[in-house]
Amino acid sequence: MPAGHGLRSRTRDTFSRGFRQKGYINLTTYLRSFRLGDYVDIKVNGAVHKGMPHKYYHGKTGVVWNVTKRSVGVEVNKQVNGRIIPKRIHVRVEHVHPSRCKEEFLKRVKTNDAFKHEAKVKGESAGPQKRPVAGPREGFTLSSANMETITPIPYDILKEGLKNWRAAAAASVWSQWVWSHARVLQYVLPTVVGIAPCGGV
């Protein structure tokens, strides 16, 4: 049987509530006021089935264009093939949260206004408020540069390789012999030295 393609298909995790976020909905959700032009984030609350937007709009940010008794009209951009269509939907307040996308912009506007006010009080020109674009680095002249020619040291591949191969072969042969005779050495070496073997009295 093929899988279903309903309105809420594949939303088991998408619409589930977060860790320790289950239970009663906070009163702040219902007491919050929205105004026209506010930016809001659409985040579906799976506990409230009424006024639930389509799964496509979950996580999208839009602008409030209408406010009703229990819902908010949000205008969201939706990409369809090669074009972007502004979609107007109504969503209940349980599925909408104020967006923080303009915090940096509003903070920058407030800082620029304060800077302009200070400049006006001092009788100076405020100048451009935009952040200057970082241009190319300044040029410089390199002086007292000494040229030095480095000659590579010759390396005898055959001689060094043969030496390393002999050392590695000897070490591997010795390790193999020790491991193969480990059981015998466990009893022979302590006897020669004068110590009781492992497990003996």
Side-chain angles (χ1 to χ4, degrees):
M1 294 288 295
H5 299 280
L7 294 177
R8 295 188 57 175
S9 62
R10 298 163 183 82
T11 58
R12 178 177 184 143
D13 296 331
T14 306
F15 287 175
S16 64
R17 304 183 70 179
F19 176 66
R20 300 182 68 177
Q21 299 297 325
K22 303 177 178 61
Y24 293 104
I25 301 175
N26 297 330
L27 289 178
T28 308
T29 304
Y30 300 98
L31 298 177
R32 186 181 291 122
S33 59
F34 295 96
R35 293 178 175 82
L36 301 182
D38 291 349
Y39 283 85
V40 293
D41 296 332
I42 300 176
K43 183 179 179 182
V44 176
N45 188 342
V48 181
H49 297 171
K50 287 186 176 182
M52 180 183 293
H54 190 266
K55 59 184 178 181
Y56 172 82
Y57 301 104
H58 179 72
K60 304 294 183 182
T61 302
V63 184
V64 176
W65 66 274
N66 188 22
V67 178
T68 61
K69 189 175 181 180
R70 297 181 182 86
S71 64
V72 176
V74 184
E75 183 174 339
V76 188
N77 291 331
K78 181 178 182 180
Q79 182 175 355
V80 181
N81 295 331
R83 66 189 191 278
I84 297 178
I85 305 175
K87 307 282 283 188
R88 287 190 168 187
I89 59 175
H90 279 88
V91 187
R92 280 183 74 102
V93 293
E94 291 89 349
H95 310 294
V96 171
H97 297 271
S99 179
R100 302 178 59 187
C101 63
K102 291 186 66 176
E103 281 188 356
E104 290 294 332
F105 171 73
L106 297 177
K107 182 179 179 181
R108 189 168 66 250
V109 169
K110 191 174 182 180
T111 305
N112 292 345
D113 291 342
F115 182 76
K116 290 179 182 178
H117 179 70
E118 292 179 1
K120 185 176 181 180
V121 171
K122 295 179 181 179
E124 302 175 355
S125 175
Q129 300 300 315
K130 288 187 176 182
R131 184 180 61 182
V133 180
R137 291 178 294 181
E138 298 181 357
F140 62 95
T141 303
L142 184 63
S143 59
S144 67
N146 299 325
M147 300 295 295
E148 182 179 356
T149 304
I150 301 176
T151 304
I153 301 174
Y155 179 76
D156 192 348
I157 298 177
L158 295 177
K159 182 178 179 181
E160 296 294 335
L162 185 61
K163 184 191 299 182
N164 297 336
W165 179 83
R166 285 178 177 174
S172 64
V173 170
W174 169 250
S175 61
Q176 291 177 4
W177 186 88
V178 170
W179 280 108
S180 61
H181 297 77
R183 193 66 180 175
V184 179
L185 293 175
Q186 181 180 1
Y187 294 95
V188 173
L189 287 179
T191 306
V192 175
V193 179
I195 305 174
C198 297
V201 181

